[in-house]
């Protein structure tokens, strides 16, 4: 049986290309679990806001071969995944390019709503 750390390292390895690409785009990304060993990618934004990235219909698949689309949720600092997300977007496209476009669109939309 794998330890927690070993399990997390294996999960991260599955998405390392995504983590590297998002981080290079200016969105520092880590592989995480949101409780109950539900996998996700987490992006910390300025001001304490964050993005939670999962599969289109569920938590992030632990095996990349089972990955299916993307959901990106935007969370305010006070909610940190315990409350409702401020906004979310979904795509059935599993590519990293599609994820980047989802993030850009979500952040543009959130900025326009806040008047920034």
């Amino acid at each position: 049986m794998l330890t927690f750390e070993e399990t997390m390292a294996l999960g991260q390895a599955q998405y390392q290309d995504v983590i590297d690409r998002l981080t290079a785009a200016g969105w520092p990304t880590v592989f995480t679990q949101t409780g109950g060993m539900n996998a996700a990618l987490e992006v910390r934004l300025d001001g304490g806001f964050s993005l939670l990235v999962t599969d289109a219909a569920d938590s992030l698949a632990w095996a990349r071969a089972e990955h299916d689309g993307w959901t990106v949720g935007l969370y305010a600092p006070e909610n940190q995944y315990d409350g409702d997300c401020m906004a979310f977007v979904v795509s059935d496209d599993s590519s990293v390019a599609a994820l980047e476009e989802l993030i850009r669109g979500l952040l543009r939309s959130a900025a326009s709503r806040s008047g920034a």
Side-chain angles (χ1 to χ4, degrees), residues 32-63:
T32 191
Q33 63 91 22
T34 60
M37 293 305 286
N38 291 307
L41 297 176
E42 180 180 25
V43 179
R44 292 291 177 136
L45 303 171
D46 292 337
F49 290 85
S50 56
L51 301 174
L52 192 67
V53 179
T54 61
D55 276 9
D58 206 345
S59 62
L60 196 65
W62 283 85

Side-chain angles (χ1 to χ4, degrees), residues 57-108:
D58 206 345
S59 62
L60 196 65
W62 283 85
R64 185 73 178 272
E66 298 171 8
H67 172 74
D68 186 25
W70 301 106
T71 295
V72 181
L74 174 64
Y75 290 84
E78 65 274 9
N79 285 343
Q80 290 306 310
Y81 322 130
D82 290 333
D84 293 330
C85 68
M86 297 172 59
F88 71 95
V89 289
V90 180
S91 174
D92 60 0
D93 185 336
S94 295
S95 71
V96 182
L99 175 58
E100 287 179 302
E101 192 53 41
L102 280 177
I103 291 171
R104 281 188 199 96
L106 179 61
L107 294 176
R108 274 192 307 267

Side-chain angles (χ1 to χ4, degrees), residues 9-29:
L10 287 173
Q12 177 170 328
Q14 294 287 307
Y15 293 91
Q16 193 61 56
D17 65 312
V18 180
I19 293 165
D20 292 344
R21 190 152 156 189
L22 295 181
T23 299
W27 302 310
T29 304

